[in-house]
Amino acid sequence: MLRNINPILSPDLLHALRAMGHGDEIVIADANFPGSSTGPDCIRADGSSASEVLRAILSVMPLDTFVPDPALTMQVVGEPEAIPEAVADFQTIIDEVADNGAHIQGLERFAFYDRAATAFAIVQTGERRLYGNIILKKGVIA
């Protein structure tokens, strides 16, 4: 255990976050996401929701301020303007916790999978809400 570090941040997840550089991306994925077969290392967080993991990650990782879209979610198939419950929750967490605020942008489902395949890592959560997936781009620490 460490002081002032959210216990949801497992040793593997802390290692990934620390190893990431500016501009690297990490995926927080729901329980239905194909995390193990998408490509990057898959870190399991089955006992936590995507919202809990997002809050924990943003407590130690800045969002990129050099891009217009440092937080991306998967659009609802057939309803790209819809905002699922999980995504609304993600936006609230970003507004409350992120040191650099950002408005979440949406990606079409297969574009989201393609982007996730190039991420540094995927954190597979136990999130059961549909569309509970988000990609975060790491910023710099001054």
Side-chain angles (χ1 to χ4, degrees):
M1 296 298 294
L2 297 170
R3 290 186 194 129
N4 303 317
I5 301 289
N6 189 315
I8 288 173
L9 299 174
S10 69
D12 290 339
L13 182 48
L14 280 172
H15 179 267
L17 292 169
R18 178 61 180 95
M20 289 171 64
H22 172 243
D24 280 339
E25 294 180 330
I26 190 162
V27 179
I28 301 170
D30 65 25
N32 291 302
F33 192 83
S36 294
S37 64
T38 296
D41 287 341
C42 184
I43 301 164
R44 304 299 300 198
D46 298 293
S48 299
S49 72
S51 292
E52 291 169 326
V53 172
L54 175 62
R55 186 175 293 279
I57 286 175
L58 290 177
S59 75
V60 297
M61 187 189 90
L63 291 177
D64 197 335
T65 59
F66 296 106
V67 296
D69 56 354
L72 300 164
T73 58
M74 184 186 298
Q75 293 174 341
V76 174
V77 175
E79 294 182 64
E81 300 302 317
I83 300 175
E85 177 188 343
V87 174
D89 195 29
F90 295 162
Q91 186 64 66
T92 298
I93 292 166
I94 289 170
D95 293 344
E96 291 174 0
V97 180
D99 58 345
N100 301 313
H103 181 72
I104 294 172
Q105 303 296 314
L107 283 178
E108 181 274 331
R109 177 183 174 208
F110 293 106
F112 187 93
Y113 289 144
D114 289 344
R115 186 79 169 255
T118 65
F120 189 89
I122 295 173
V123 183
Q124 183 92 53
T125 71
E127 180 63 63
R128 302 280 310 257
R129 294 176 296 179
L130 297 178
Y131 297 97
N133 308 295
I134 188 166
I135 299 172
L136 304 174
K137 186 178 288 287
K138 186 177 183 180
V140 295
I141 297 175

